[in-house]
Amino acid sequence: MALAALAFFLRASCAVLTEFKPLFPSYYYTDARLFHNAAVFYMEIAPSGARPPINGSLCDRFQILTTLTAYRVFGPRPISIKLINAALGALGVVALTWAFGFVFDSRATLLAGAALAVWPSAVFYTSQNLKESPTQLLVFAGLGSLLALALDERSSQARAAALAAGAAVGLLGAGMYRSFLLIAFGVALAPTLGLQAFMRPRGRAAWALALLLAAPVAYPAVSRLFLNIFSGSDPARISYAEDGRPETAYFNGDQSRAYPRLFPSVVDSADTPRVHRSISPEGLTLFRRNRQISDRGWARAYSGREIATQLFPDAAFSSWLDVLVFLPKAAFHVLFMPLPGFYPLDGRIGRVLAALENAVLLAVSLAALAGIARGCKTPARMGLLAFFAVMTVAAASLEFDLGSAGRHKALYLPMLFPFAAEELLRRLGRKEPA
């Protein structure tokens, strides 16, 4: 309870502060502003309280509908939905701490949870009306439910069924926000759960493994069901006026964004549009290039600025060897850049604060590596590390900008925190006996 209170207090305080005194330039709040404007727009076209047909990508529809619902209850004031996100972010901290508790001792678990609770970037991004809070809560709750189901053999049948339901909701819900998470979960945790099931043939790890493998199979049908519930029409996206206000909804044929696939894809702007999927070196090159060109064009058109923090815009791959050579430097950038002395800070407060934070995160990660080398290698521990590794590879391949990379890494970098906590406690001589 104390950890939840601390996490919520920090996030709610940040929400209130940024409501009345924004800490950073306006482009830090672009997505939150668009969700706000979209919710106000839908309130105006459906003033009776009926739910309008919301268009856009699936995760956008979830976020807009959540904002719209909050505004109808509390009025169209951003602080209401920011506080809701702060609460969801605090619950995400609790969920991940709970998940760690099945793998690590209580002191390392609590220290790791506290690190996530006070991590400045995690506090900031989960105090705004962004997708980070619900995504983190769903991922961490799904992870905890899978681990509890697989590792807690003393649970009753009723509790096991509840954990299975929680795992299903967490996995599919996370997929609604970012579909590739289902692939990351499967690749990272299937070996762990399979080994656990082999070690305890009569245990419940097989249930967890079955859920894990079933989620990507069920995802297409479930996602289409939600899209039909939201819109009752073909996929569409919102057209935004210069001030960021939605002015109309139009059909553009880009069904790859409205119907998310498990592997990210993008439609180019050629006269004969083509879908580029990130499952080949050439596809990954075109996917990155088209997304970065699109982002630059949007920034110029709607905020009159040039994006200065895009990651490797000239990267091109003709073979998987090119991709492998690219991954280490890209991974270091998405995890730890900007760093003091290694990246131009230009006196910008956001970059300066991020650089100081990343220096701490680099030290934490080095401590985690030492802890991993010394610690035991149980399947569950290796599963957490595998999730971190898979997500890091995905981020290195698919992140296009340092801003989004800094926002997204709060989803997977915390997997290192309990290993670092164990190492710190070991050095302090306070680690509990195994």
Side-chain angles (χ1 to χ4, degrees):
M1 290 300 294
L3 185 60
L6 172 64
F8 178 71
F9 172 77
L10 293 174
R11 285 154 178 76
S13 298
C14 186
V16 173
L17 176 61
T18 55
E19 180 72 5
F20 299 103
K21 186 177 178 59
L23 301 174
F24 303 111
S26 61
Y27 56 82
Y28 276 70
Y29 307 95
T30 297
D31 287 356
R33 185 173 63 252
L34 292 179
F35 291 136
H36 166 78
N37 291 337
V40 171
F41 171 76
Y42 284 120
M43 285 184 72
E44 292 174 354
I45 67 173
S48 65
R51 180 178 53 76
I54 298 175
N55 293 312
S57 66
L58 182 55
C59 56
D60 286 347
R61 297 184 198 203
F62 273 115
Q63 202 72 8
I64 292 170
L65 181 60
T66 304
T67 307
L68 175 61
T69 302
Y71 284 4
R72 282 179 168 161
V73 175
F74 302 107
R77 293 179 291 274
I79 187 62
S80 61
I81 191 64
K82 287 168 69 173
L83 290 174
I84 290 172
N85 274 275
L88 295 177
L91 289 175
V93 172
V94 173
L96 187 59
T97 306
W98 172 62
F100 286 158
F102 293 100
V103 186
F104 299 90
D105 67 47
S106 60
R107 291 181 181 177
T109 293
L110 184 59
L111 188 56
L116 179 58
V118 303
W119 181 0
S121 286
V123 169
F124 175 77
Y125 289 121
T126 56
S127 68
Q128 308 301 309
N129 186 17
L130 302 169
K131 303 166 190 173
E132 310 316 311
S133 290
T135 304
Q136 288 180 25
L137 175 57
L138 288 164
V139 168
F140 297 157
L143 177 64
S145 296
L146 285 174
L147 291 175
L149 184 61
L151 301 177
D152 188 1
E153 298 294 341
R154 297 171 297 177
S155 61
S156 65
Q157 289 287 345
R159 185 170 186 271
L163 290 172
V169 171
L171 290 169
L172 290 173
M176 298 299 164
Y177 279 90
R178 296 191 176 109
S179 56
F180 66 87
L181 285 169
L182 291 172
I183 298 296
F185 262 115
V187 173
L189 296 182
T192 290
L193 297 178
L195 182 58
Q196 188 70 22
F198 176 78
M199 293 167 58
R200 295 185 178 180
R202 297 184 180 180
R204 291 176 175 143
W207 292 19
L209 179 61
L211 281 168
L212 184 69
L213 299 178
V217 177
Y219 171 76
V222 175
S223 64
R224 282 167 173 75
L225 173 64
F226 275 103
L227 281 165
N228 291 332
I229 291 173
F230 283 158
S231 67
S233 64
D234 290 333
R237 290 169 62 192
I238 299 170
S239 171
Y240 294 100
E242 187 172 350
D243 62 357
R245 177 184 175 83
E247 56 183 9
T248 185
Y250 68 96
F251 298 97
N252 68 352
D254 185 358
Q255 300 200 12
S256 68
R257 289 180 65 86
Y259 285 115
R261 293 177 172 86
L262 293 176
F263 290 97
S265 60
V266 67
V267 178
D268 64 21
S269 57
D271 293 335
T272 305
R274 294 171 299 167
V275 177
H276 301 298
R277 298 185 178 89
S278 53
I279 54 177
S280 69
E282 296 79 7
L284 181 59
T285 299
L286 294 170
F287 176 76
R288 291 179 57 90
R289 184 173 301 164
N290 277 274
R291 284 294 302 271
Q292 289 179 315
I293 291 173
S294 174
D295 288 353
R296 290 197 295 269
W298 196 97
R300 293 191 195 105
Y302 295 107
S303 62
R305 69 182 182 93
E306 293 292 333
I307 300 177
T309 54
Q310 284 196 331
L311 290 166
F312 310 108
D314 299 323
F317 315 111
S318 58
S319 68
W320 285 115
L321 179 60
D322 291 341
V323 177
L324 289 175
V325 171
F326 171 78
L327 286 177
K329 67 177 181 180
F332 188 83
H333 274 71
V334 299
L335 288 172
F336 304 120
M337 285 295 181
L339 271 178
F342 292 89
Y343 195 91
L345 304 182
D346 299 331
R348 299 182 184 182
I349 185 62
R351 289 195 197 179
V352 171
L353 293 175
L356 294 175
E357 178 184 274
N358 284 330
V360 175
L361 291 175
L362 179 57
V364 169
S365 299
L366 292 174
L369 289 177
I372 292 166
R374 290 189 180 95
C376 57
K377 311 295 191 296
T378 65
R381 285 171 175 249
M382 294 300 100
L384 294 176
L385 288 177
F387 184 74
F388 165 77
V390 170
M391 288 295 295
T392 299
V393 169
S397 304
L398 302 173
E399 292 284 11
F400 316 109
D401 184 85
L402 276 182
S404 59
R407 197 167 73 237
H408 297 156
K409 68 185 179 185
L411 195 61
Y412 56 94
L413 188 58
M415 302 302 147
L416 297 183
F417 288 0
F419 295 96
E422 280 192 334
E423 179 64 13
L424 176 61
L425 292 169
R426 187 192 68 81
R427 290 178 177 271
L428 294 174
R430 297 178 182 176
K431 185 177 183 298
E432 292 180 356

